Amino acid sequence: MVDAGEPVVLKGAAQHLPLLAAGREGVEAAMAYLLRFDAGRGVVGFVGDPAIGGRFFYNEDLSAMNFAGGRAPLAHYLERIRDGMGQADAPSIYVGSTDLDIYLPGFREENPVVPDGALPGAQAPLASIWIGNRTTAAAHWDMSNNVACPLVGRRRFTLFPPDQVANLYPGPLEPTPGGQVVSMVDFRAPDHARYPGFRQALATAQVAELEPGDVLVYPALWWHQVEALDPFNVMVNYWWNEAPAFADTPMTTLLHALLSLRDRPEHEKQSWRALFDYYVFGPGGRAGEHLPPHARGPLAPLDDRTARRLRAQVMQRLNR
């Protein structure tokens, strides 16, 4: 579905799952259902002061986050969410990106949002669960394709195509609130004087209002802000990537490009752009097709062995 390069919503595609039935009975039933699968490991949770309004972000001067992280039993975070319901001064609580198979073994098999083998790619998808009260994950992008399904509570996704990066005003490369660069724009009250391009980004935005059991599929590198809209929310997502397992993260390439390319003269940068178009962004076989097979080296299709060799060459150059 991501081949078209656009997000897709599948309404009600997961309405049959047991957690949805528990959620219809109420918060207590949904929490009890989750705890049936608890492996007893401490999960990582984030807690923010009521003043942040559920938006997990930076403090005022970007010197730290506006929340604190910790590790505790899942039951601890569920109890804090339950105890805070209906209270205006309740903290924002967020248990994010928790590996289902490690922390809630058996849950995925009983609640198969995506059946085994349904997603393409050589690597098995990573299935995670997200639990919290009314929270907002600031707009960010992920390096993998995504299937997201709220199972308790409603979610709002606001999505932007990758080419809107400049109009979303990315924040620091590190530290980040959740491991990925986030937009500095507060969507609740955007400062258009400071971030004038955000109006252009909004013109391209796609908003997905998801009820429990709806499934959203969207491609890698799409920016997305995620709002959990109810007092108790549970979402499951699957990340998958069609790149081979030996492929390194392109973020490493981007960081090294900041070191090696960004500050060169403009005419040199344009020349390097042409070289990258030829070797990297153009057809995969073009750069080596005029050479005999034995002379192609890394210009030939990579496999585990040749990828290790190429990685060693890169490391050798970086260590000079």
Side-chain angles (χ1 to χ4, degrees):
M1 283 179 284
V2 299
D3 291 345
E6 294 282 338
V8 176
V9 174
L10 306 175
K11 296 294 292 183
Q15 281 189 347
H16 60 288
L17 300 182
L19 180 54
L20 265 82
R24 294 186 191 107
E25 294 179 31
V27 169
E28 292 287 350
M31 290 183 175
Y33 182 85
L34 287 172
L35 289 174
R36 277 182 44 205
F37 302 93
D38 184 10
R41 299 169 177 262
V43 298
V44 175
F46 306 101
V47 180
D49 188 89
I52 74 172
R55 182 172 180 250
F56 286 78
F57 196 65
Y58 297 95
N59 62 6
E60 287 296 328
D61 65 0
L62 274 65
S63 61
M65 301 301 145
N66 67 356
F67 59 91
R71 186 179 289 273
L74 175 61
H76 166 80
Y77 291 111
L78 294 179
E79 182 178 350
R80 291 196 66 180
I81 292 170
R82 183 177 59 240
D83 291 348
M85 287 183 175
Q87 299 183 16
D89 60 348
S92 298
I93 300 173
Y94 183 51
V95 177
S97 192
T98 300
D99 190 301
L100 274 174
D101 293 335
I102 293 175
Y103 293 92
L104 295 173
F107 176 92
R108 183 169 59 88
E109 288 74 16
E110 200 165 295
N111 295 267
V113 173
V114 176
D116 288 344
L119 296 175
Q123 304 178 60
L126 175 63
S128 299
I129 194 166
W130 310 70
I131 302 168
N133 49 20
R134 288 189 175 95
T135 60
T136 298
H140 61 284
W141 54 269
D142 299 311
M143 285 183 283
S144 298
N145 305 305
N146 202 343
V147 174
C149 177
L151 297 177
V152 180
R154 298 163 296 133
R155 298 259 174 171
R156 177 186 298 122
F157 278 71
T158 306
L159 302 112
F160 304 86
D163 63 8
Q164 290 303 306
V165 54
N167 293 326
L168 290 167
Y169 299 91
L173 293 177
E174 59 180 31
T176 64
Q180 291 294 105
V181 173
V182 301
S183 169
M184 295 303 296
V185 183
D186 185 349
F187 288 17
R188 301 170 301 185
D191 184 344
H192 291 295
R194 187 173 185 181
Y195 307 117
F198 185 60
R199 284 194 174 92
Q200 293 175 250
L202 284 176
T204 73
Q206 299 187 34
V207 179
E209 301 275 1
L210 302 179
E211 298 287 336
D214 293 343
V215 175
L216 170 65
V217 185
Y218 58 95
L221 278 73
W222 272 67
W223 290 80
H224 50 286
Q225 174 160 293
V226 188
E227 300 166 77
L229 303 176
D230 288 305
F232 180 56
N233 302 269
V234 181
M235 182 179 74
V236 167
N237 88 302
Y238 293 71
W239 278 307
W240 89 98
N241 203 304
E242 298 182 54
F246 57 73
D248 287 342
T249 167
M251 194 64 192
T252 303
T253 308
L254 177 59
L255 292 174
H256 190 249
L258 293 176
L259 176 66
S260 62
L261 290 173
R262 183 190 60 186
D263 296 328
R264 291 183 179 274
E266 185 61 28
H267 69 277
E268 285 189 26
K269 289 165 65 173
Q270 294 306 316
S271 298
W272 278 107
R273 182 195 297 269
L275 287 172
F276 270 74
D277 284 342
Y278 178 72
Y279 283 105
V280 179
F281 297 114
R286 178 178 63 182
E289 63 187 4
H290 59 283
L291 300 172
H294 70 271
R296 291 175 184 173
L299 301 180
L302 295 175
D303 55 25
D304 286 335
R305 181 180 61 82
T306 55
R308 285 196 301 270
R309 182 181 300 167
L310 182 56
R311 189 175 297 110
Q313 292 175 5
V314 172
M315 292 298 297
Q316 184 180 21
R317 288 173 181 255
L318 288 175
N319 288 331
R320 286 183 179 176

